[in-house]
Each structure stands twice: as C-alpha cells, then as structure tokens.
C-alpha cells in the first residue's frame, strides 16, 4: 500500500519508537483518520484477540457516522472470520498474488470513494472568525476548526465574514462611480 502512495498505520512498525508512551491516542487517531482498515488473520483467534477486536469494532463504530470508511478482511480460510463478518467478502491469503489483489481492491475502493466525495463536496471561501484568514468550508456543516489558527469557528459566521469583506472591497472599488 505504501508503494501506491498510501499512508499505512501498522502499530508494531508505526509505534516502535514510542516505547513507554501511551499508544492509545495514536491508535485512535489512526482509526479516526483512516478511510480503510485491513484486518489480516491467519487463525480464527487472531481476529478475536482483545486488541484486534477492539480496533476493528471501534472502526465499525466510526463507520456508522462515516459511510466512506471501509473494512477489508484477509484470511487463510473464510471460516476463520468472526461471525459478524461471515457474510462479507474476504481476500484469501492462500490464493496466488493475494496481497497484490488486496492492495488493488483497496486502491480501487479509495479511488471510487474519492470520486464520489469530490462530486458531492461543495466548499465555499470564508474567513475565520478568529484569525481572519481565508478558509474553504463546507456550508452544510455547523462548525469546524480553522487549519491556520487551530481554533473552532461557526461556519455561517465565517461565510458571513467573507461576504462582508467582499462587499466592503466592492464598495471601495466603486467609489466615485455611478453604479
């Protein structure tokens, strides 16, 4: 997946320099920001291991509010999947090119999801109510956090700020002209 340019979080590797640090916030941040989670298990008990089950069940909970999140499974035997996922498609690791097929399907899913999101997402230019910098906002949201000052703002007020500034600029440009 890294070869496709995706950022991959694999706790054993990603957190190896975090010894002695509470790793839970890192795992939660990865679950929250990930569009795709891949659960790989070569034995049934691996899927049910406390931390593995904790992570995929939390990802499913996050998916309830974000339908663009997707869970992929890979296993040696379809019967190894947890009962909750026994009706889901899984990549069989015993097949030739299993990992390449899994990577291809993830890439395909992400590409389609991005295309769908881009066609749905509408943004407008607004002005942060805290730092007064231009920001792109989704007018359907009530509030957001400014990427410049990292402070929360009300979207409608930020849009209003930008409109007021635009009106002032237009009025000053038109001074002395009959409109």
């Amino acid at each position: 997946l890294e070869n496709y340019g995706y950022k991959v979080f694999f706790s054993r590797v990603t957190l190896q320099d975090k010894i002695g640090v509470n790793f839970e916030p890192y795992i939660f941040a990865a679950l929250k920001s990930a569009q795709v989670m891949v659960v790989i298990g070569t034995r049934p008990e691996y899927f049910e291991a406390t931390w593995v089950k904790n992570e995929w069940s939390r990802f499913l909970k996050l998916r309830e509010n974000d339908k663009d999140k997707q869970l992929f499974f890979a296993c040696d035997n379809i019967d190894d999947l947890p009962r909750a996922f026994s009706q889901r498609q899984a990549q069989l690791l015993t097949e030739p090119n299993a990992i390449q097929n899994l990577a291809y399907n993830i890439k395909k899913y992400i590409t389609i999801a991005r295309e769908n999101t881009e066609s749905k997402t509408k943004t407008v230019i607004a002005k942060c109510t805290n730092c007064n910098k231009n920001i792109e906002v989704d007018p359907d949201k009530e509030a957001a956090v400014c990427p410049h000052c990292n402070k929360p703002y009300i979207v409608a007020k930020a849009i209003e700020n930008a409109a007021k500034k635009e009106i002032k600029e237009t009025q000053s440009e038109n001074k002395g002209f009959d409109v």
Side-chain angles (χ1 to χ4, degrees), residues 102-162:
L102 180 63
Y104 170 78
N105 285 317
I106 291 167
K107 181 179 181 191
K108 186 171 135 185
Y109 174 80
I110 289 174
T111 301
I112 291 169
R114 275 195 188 134
E115 289 169 359
N116 290 340
T117 300
E118 287 169 4
S119 67
K120 284 191 262 180
T121 304
K122 59 180 183 220
T123 59
V124 296
I125 299 298
K127 283 218 164 286
C128 175
T129 56
N130 299 297
C131 69
N132 211 32
K133 290 190 177 179
N134 285 342
I135 48 178
E136 276 191 39
V137 300
D138 178 347
D140 294 333
K141 290 190 174 180
E142 287 186 36
V145 176
C146 175
H148 303 289
C149 67
N150 211 25
K151 292 183 180 173
Y153 62 88
I154 304 298
V155 171
K157 288 186 179 186
I159 293 170
E160 188 179 311
N161 269 6

Side-chain angles (χ1 to χ4, degrees), residues 3-179:
N3 291 339
Y4 284 119
Y6 297 117
K7 185 177 178 183
V8 175
F9 181 91
F10 179 51
S11 59
R12 227 181 357 209
V13 174
T14 308
L15 299 177
Q16 72 185 28
D17 64 340
K18 305 282 188 244
I19 294 176
V21 174
N22 181 5
F23 55 85
E24 181 57 29
Y26 293 97
I27 292 173
F28 184 71
L31 291 171
K32 194 166 166 85
S33 66
Q35 185 174 7
V36 169
M37 179 180 200
V38 179
V39 182
I40 298 176
T42 53
R43 295 173 58 186
E45 58 268 23
Y46 294 162
F47 289 109
E48 297 293 338
T50 303
W51 279 106
V52 174
K53 187 174 183 177
N54 182 357
E55 290 172 19
W56 61 252
S57 62
R58 286 170 51 198
F59 188 82
L60 283 178
K61 193 77 173 152
L62 290 167
R63 188 175 183 272
E64 290 174 7
N65 295 321
D66 184 353
K67 296 301 180 194
D68 288 335
K69 288 185 173 296
Q70 186 59 269
L71 196 58
F72 286 84
F73 286 97
C75 56
D76 286 342
N77 182 333
I78 200 76
D79 295 329
D80 293 348
L81 287 176
R83 190 177 356 191
F85 305 110
S86 61
Q87 301 300 313
R88 294 187 72 134
Q89 185 72 23
Q91 176 64 55
L92 292 178
L93 296 171
T94 54
E95 292 180 355
N97 301 317
I99 297 300
Q100 290 86 346
N101 290 339
L102 180 63
Y104 170 78
N105 285 317
I106 291 167
K107 181 179 181 191
K108 186 171 135 185
Y109 174 80
I110 289 174
T111 301
I112 291 169
R114 275 195 188 134
E115 289 169 359
N116 290 340
T117 300
E118 287 169 4
S119 67
K120 284 191 262 180
T121 304
K122 59 180 183 220
T123 59
V124 296
I125 299 298
K127 283 218 164 286
C128 175
T129 56
N130 299 297
C131 69
N132 211 32
K133 290 190 177 179
N134 285 342
I135 48 178
E136 276 191 39
V137 300
D138 178 347
D140 294 333
K141 290 190 174 180
E142 287 186 36
V145 176
C146 175
H148 303 289
C149 67
N150 211 25
K151 292 183 180 173
Y153 62 88
I154 304 298
V155 171
K157 288 186 179 186
I159 293 170
E160 188 179 311
N161 269 6
K164 284 180 184 176
K165 185 175 189 292
E166 195 173 310
I167 290 168
K168 278 184 183 177
E169 287 173 357
T170 304
Q171 286 174 341
S172 66
E173 287 172 6
N174 292 332
K175 268 191 177 169
F177 294 99
D178 288 331
V179 181

